[in-house]
Amino acid sequence: MKAEILNLWKASFDDTDDFVRLYFDRVYKDEYTLTLRENGQVVSALQMLPYRMTVGGTTVPLAYVCGVCTRPSERGRGLMHQLMQQAIAEMRRRGFTLTALIPASERLAGYYRRFGYTDAFYRSTEVYHAHAMPSGEAFCRIVSHRELPSETVFDYFDRKCRERPCAVLHDAFGWETICMDCLLDGGDVWLALRDGEAVGLTLALPQPDHSVLIKEILYEHPAVKTALIRFAMNRFHCQTAYVRTPSAPAADAHPCGMAMILDEERMTSLFQSACPGRAIPNGTDLLTQTLPDTQRPWMNLMLD
């Protein structure tokens, strides 16, 4: 089935050959895939990738839906609506507490709302200009992740991600794939070290407008954050850096992911633990109130 899905993917998405090869070599599995067939051929398909997410002091299983596509000649027949309904039932059967996805457009966000998905993840963008940043002290050494044991880099990344009260987590293999994808795009991942200990990490990509996009930045002290941003600017010879950060819903925040409850009983229990004494909300309110604004739920580096 893998070859069929790969061909459908290429017909549906404008991805580079390098990315498609990376995805199907390292991420794709038949057991994550749901399809519709007609006359023996796959006409619609999607992936349900397993992740964990921190919620209410614990972690719960989350299914990330991606690769949602229908053969171009078969679009407009309601095939994906049928497949999404099957996928939601299948994700429940497999024991996922939540499902999440990243719509490619507002039109698609409206489509997914029909199934019960709601905006749950937001991000803001901080803008930095080299001439306005303090020089700071060179109190940490910054090195590419390729110069260090992979376990050292992942252990720091994983620890910092787990400190976030609501965040989708990546395992070590997934993190390695993220780094490989970053390198394919001309970027890099750097770790800040002080006295041999990790104190910060950033993943950055050069942009066509000669700026740098920092897709993730983790640090022990604001001075480390400044040092990492300046380092990325210098490395890519840029004067401007755009830094993605988790955000609560606000006028300047961009919705960057949707989620839906699959196991309402589990989420109700988590809500009761996080908000003792409060009335239990219903439907999508249960999701948004279990993941309160102050916790700034975060889903990032999903190969989207």
Side-chain angles (χ1 to χ4, degrees), residues 68-89:
V68 180
C69 55
T70 297
R71 191 176 299 279
S73 61
E74 304 301 328
R75 291 172 185 168
R77 297 174 51 208
L79 297 174
M80 187 50 64
H81 186 88
Q82 180 182 342
L83 189 61
M84 281 296 299
Q85 290 180 319
Q86 292 181 18
I88 291 167

Side-chain angles (χ1 to χ4, degrees), residues 123-165:
R123 68 168 179 248
S124 294
T125 302
E126 299 173 351
V127 183
Y128 295 86
H129 301 288
H131 66 83
M133 294 184 69
S135 58
E137 298 179 6
F139 63 91
C140 59
R141 183 170 66 96
I142 299 175
V143 299
S144 170
H145 75 289
R146 290 171 286 178
E147 300 176 34
L148 299 166
S150 58
E151 298 83 4
T152 299
V153 183
F154 174 72
D155 287 350
Y156 182 76
F157 171 76
D158 184 57
R159 176 170 67 82
K160 296 301 290 183
C161 288
R162 289 177 184 273
E163 289 177 3
R164 289 172 168 154

Side-chain angles (χ1 to χ4, degrees), residues 15 39 57 80 91 94 110 112 117 120 122 124 128 136 178 181 186 188 204 234 248 251 255 268 281 284 299:
D15 290 321
N39 300 319
M80 187 50 64
M91 289 184 288
R94 296 188 186 191
Y112 291 121
Y117 285 90
Y122 291 80
S124 294
Y128 295 86
I178 289 167
D181 181 51
D188 207 344
N234 291 336
T268 297
T284 58
M299 178 170 64

Side-chain angles (χ1 to χ4, degrees), residues 4 8 11 32 41 58 84 105 109 125 128 132 166 179 186 197 227 231 233 265 276 299 304:
E4 290 181 278
L8 179 57
Y32 300 161
Q41 291 188 326
T58 186
M84 281 296 299
S105 66
T125 302
Y128 295 86
C166 290
C179 292
E197 296 293 326
F231 182 90
M233 284 182 177
E265 182 178 349
M299 178 170 64
D304 53 302

Side-chain angles (χ1 to χ4, degrees), residues 21-75:
R21 188 160 41 248
L22 177 72
Y23 184 89
F24 279 87
D25 284 349
R26 295 183 60 87
V27 180
Y28 175 88
K29 290 185 179 180
D30 283 353
E31 57 262 39
Y32 300 161
T33 305
L34 203 63
T35 65
L36 285 180
R37 288 182 176 271
E38 289 188 351
N39 300 319
Q41 291 188 326
V42 174
V43 291
S44 290
L46 57 77
Q47 310 280 297
M48 303 170 291
L49 306 182
Y51 286 86
R52 303 288 300 183
M53 180 173 178
T54 57
V55 179
T58 186
T59 66
V60 298
L62 175 143
Y64 176 65
V65 174
C66 65
V68 180
C69 55
T70 297
R71 191 176 299 279
S73 61
E74 304 301 328
R75 291 172 185 168

